[in-house]
Amino acid sequence: MKKELPACPVEATLQLIGDKWKVLILRDLMDGTKRFGELKKGINGVSQKVLTSNLRTMETNGLVARKVYAEVPPKVEYTLTETGYSLKPVLDVMTVWGEEYKERTK
């Protein structure tokens, strides 16, 4: 069940993607569909439990789609939804800002 979003649009956005793990998941999925292990490997320092929890929350919020294949061992893939992909401009701006900040603080 989705939580009610705050009236402030900035606060609503932060509620959906406001922790570093969710932003890094979005970053990695911008390139396309990934399996759980690929995501875990690409996101330095995230535990399996935290990654699972964040993916479930993002799925509930309509940012990520999860596809389970009926095979052994189980195969699960994650893909951004259209709503998830709509965050690309936000991530692009964060990338530019981060590069500029790193350059200024050398």
Side-chain angles (χ1 to χ4, degrees):
M1 179 191 257
K2 292 183 187 181
K3 286 199 285 189
E4 190 170 322
L5 293 174
C8 171
V10 172
E11 188 178 349
T13 304
L14 286 173
Q15 186 173 312
L16 292 171
I17 64 164
D19 77 34
K20 79 176 188 179
W21 302 121
K22 288 178 184 153
V23 173
L24 296 177
I25 291 167
L26 288 168
R27 176 202 66 190
D28 282 8
L29 289 176
M30 284 294 164
D31 296 333
T33 300
K34 297 230 180 352
R35 292 180 66 178
F36 185 88
E38 292 174 292
L39 286 170
K40 182 150 179 9
K41 209 176 283 184
I43 302 172
N44 191 30
V46 68
S47 70
Q48 184 168 331
K49 179 180 177 182
V50 169
L51 181 57
T52 299
S53 173
N54 278 279
L55 285 165
R56 284 184 181 151
T57 300
M58 293 172 77
E59 183 181 11
T60 299
N61 290 328
L63 301 176
V64 171
R66 179 177 181 258
K67 184 172 184 180
V68 180
Y69 294 88
E71 56 186 61
V72 177
K75 177 181 171 183
V76 180
E77 292 181 336
Y78 296 90
T79 307
L80 289 179
T81 62
E82 189 176 324
T83 303
Y85 276 115
S86 74
L87 287 160
K88 185 173 181 355
V90 175
L91 268 60
D92 289 345
V93 169
M94 289 173 71
T95 299
V96 170
W97 188 91
E99 288 169 349
E100 291 172 356
Y101 179 79
K102 286 171 56 177
E103 197 57 39
R104 281 193 306 273
T105 59
K106 275 187 176 179

